[in-house]
Amino acid sequence: MDLVFEGIRTAWQLLIGLDQELLAVTFLSLKVSGLATMISLVIGILGGTLIALASFPGKRVLVSIVNTSMGLPPVVVGLFVTIMLWRNGPFGSLGILYTPSAMVLAQTVIATPIVMGITIASIQSLPANMSLQILALGASRLQMVWMLVKQARLALLAGVMAGFGGVISEVGASIMVGGNIKGYTRVLTTATVMETGKGNFDIAIAFGIILLVICFLINYFLTIIQQRERRR
């Protein structure tokens, strides 16, 4: 327990002292995971809605693949993204391996199936004839899709929380494609792993506590929006 209390004290000191490394690591964590989440929302909500509304051969197989991908191990994602971005890989010419851009790419791959799977389930949980009723009222197909998304917005907010939580807390892919370079690709999770490996448990606990606080605050903010929408 002494280590935990020491970690809390260290976290407080780092925050009060506005430690520059802590601020840089925290800002990069939010930047990388926030950008990855936004990209995954665009791809996941659009793709999930299209899959949910469309009828085509192999739809069940595709949905099963999406649902399976929701549990992709980050380390496996990191492995394949590293292979793709390696100097001799298909996209090695981009030269983005061991950069924040590679981390955003890897985290997007992790978050997109989560958002897409929740979107598919959310749209399919709506009444089956709702889309027909909307079209019968004179709406275009694009307006119909938008109205269905609005109806499923509470569940989609849960998808936002799940997607963001899945990427800001992952460590395997970030280390593999980012390299944990100080001042460049080091984020809260990789910093925690590094400090633990060095035996600096108080600093590692401090990073962990700060990560938990950030996750709580963001999810609390999204939950307020979700519950406010529910009361309307």
Side-chain angles (χ1 to χ4, degrees):
M1 289 300 295
D2 290 340
L3 278 175
V4 176
F5 289 125
E6 182 64 24
I8 294 173
R9 187 178 69 84
T10 301
W12 179 253
Q13 290 176 343
L14 291 173
L15 287 171
I16 294 299
L18 296 178
D19 183 78
Q20 292 302 307
E21 182 177 356
L22 172 64
L23 294 177
V25 168
T26 302
F27 176 74
L28 184 60
S29 298
L30 292 172
K31 179 180 177 181
V32 169
S33 298
L35 184 56
T37 302
M38 287 190 288
I39 296 173
S40 69
L41 286 177
V42 174
I43 300 173
I45 293 178
L46 179 60
T49 302
L50 292 176
I51 292 173
L53 296 177
S55 180
F56 54 89
K59 178 176 178 177
R60 291 183 179 179
V61 175
L62 180 57
V63 174
S64 297
I65 292 174
V66 171
N67 289 337
T68 302
S69 300
M70 292 175 70
L72 278 176
V75 69
V76 174
V77 174
L79 171 62
F80 280 97
V81 172
T82 300
I83 292 173
M84 292 292 105
L85 298 179
W86 197 253
R87 62 174 62 91
N88 295 324
F91 304 103
S93 60
L94 297 176
I96 63 172
L97 188 61
Y98 303 131
T99 68
S101 297
M103 298 170 68
V104 171
L105 177 60
Q107 291 192 6
T108 299
V109 174
I110 294 171
T112 298
I114 298 174
V115 176
M116 188 176 292
I118 293 176
T119 299
I120 293 173
S122 302
I123 298 298
Q124 289 184 333
S125 67
L126 297 174
N129 61 347
M130 180 176 289
S131 59
L132 296 177
Q133 292 176 347
I134 295 173
L135 290 174
L137 292 173
S140 65
R141 289 191 174 275
L142 185 59
Q143 290 173 325
M144 178 266 291
V145 170
W146 173 245
M147 293 182 71
L148 291 177
V149 170
K150 286 183 65 177
Q151 288 296 317
R153 62 185 181 277
L154 294 181
L156 294 181
L157 275 172
V160 176
M161 289 184 273
F164 180 79
V167 292
I168 198 171
S169 61
E170 73 83 26
V171 62
S174 294
I175 286 182
M176 295 181 74
V177 305
N180 194 30
I181 303 170
K182 183 178 180 180
Y184 188 50
T185 60
R186 183 168 296 168
V187 292
L188 284 169
T189 51
T190 59
T192 302
V193 171
M194 183 192 68
E195 296 297 341
T196 301
K198 292 165 61 177
N200 298 328
F201 295 109
D202 56 339
I203 299 178
I205 293 173
F207 280 138
I209 291 172
I210 292 168
L211 179 61
L212 287 172
V213 170
I214 290 173
C215 290
F216 172 77
L217 291 177
I218 292 176
N219 282 299
Y220 180 71
F221 173 73
L222 292 174
T223 300
I224 290 176
I225 297 175
Q226 185 186 52
Q227 295 305 310
R228 184 178 299 167
E229 290 288 334
R230 184 175 181 271
R231 287 195 295 267
R232 288 184 180 180

